[in-house]
């Protein structure tokens, strides 16, 4: 679903209106992907170009973004992009729309709570 949103943003000219680096991970990023984003981030840092990550509004999506931001916890490689910002709907926005957050979200599993 997030890749569909990613494609739609591109088709609708999002990058012309909001110049940025936009990423949409499809699962946990490889070390090569993390390293590539880190190099791109360093190159555009002086130009104040934001780096945005499109991820699901759930613990898994947050964990994916955290892998880009902080690196993979299972390796000693330090490929991180701390300036990555999350592009997505937040709980407070769901509430402002008058929607029930509990009805829009799945309950946390035992694994999510760790």
């Amino acid at each position: 679903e997030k890749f569909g949103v990613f494609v739609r943003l591109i088709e609708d000219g999002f990058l012309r209106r909001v110049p940025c680096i936009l990423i949409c991970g499809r699962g946990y990023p490889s070390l090569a992907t993390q390293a590539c984003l880190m190099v791109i981030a360093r190159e555009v840092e002086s130009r104040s170009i934001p780096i945005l990550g499109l991820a699901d509004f759930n613990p898994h999506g947050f964990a994916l973004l955290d892998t880009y931001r902080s690196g993979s916890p299972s390796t000693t490689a330090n490929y991180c992009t701390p300036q990555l910002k999350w592009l997505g709907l937040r709980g407070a926005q769901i509430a402002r729309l008058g929607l029930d957050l509990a009805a829009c979200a799945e309950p946390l599993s035992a694994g999510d709570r760790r």
Side-chain angles (χ1 to χ4, degrees):
E1 75 192 43
K2 66 185 164 295
F3 186 70
V5 172
F6 177 83
V7 170
R8 182 62 188 258
L9 287 171
I10 302 302
E11 290 173 349
D12 287 351
F14 178 79
L15 296 176
R16 283 191 302 277
R17 288 186 290 248
V18 181
C20 65
I21 305 298
L22 180 62
I23 63 164
C24 178
R26 298 177 94 179
Y28 282 94
S30 67
L31 291 176
T33 302
Q34 292 174 60
C36 180
L37 183 61
M38 184 183 74
V39 169
I40 291 169
R42 285 182 181 163
E43 289 296 318
V44 300
E45 192 169 24
S46 66
R47 294 183 238 157
S48 299
I49 297 174
I51 300 172
L52 306 175
L54 188 59
D56 291 332
F57 178 59
N58 61 28
H60 185 70
F62 299 143
L64 288 170
L65 285 178
D66 193 50
T67 300
Y68 280 108
R69 285 183 184 145
S70 306
S72 297
S74 61
T75 69
T76 58
N78 192 21
Y79 302 128
C80 55
T81 307
Q83 63 270 49
L84 175 71
K85 303 289 185 218
W86 176 42
L87 176 65
L89 192 62
R90 284 142 170 88
Q93 293 168 316
I94 292 171
R96 278 199 305 267
L97 291 171
L99 301 173
D100 179 15
L101 181 58
C104 297
E106 296 178 21
L108 295 176
S109 71
D112 293 337
R113 294 181 190 280
R114 284 186 278 160

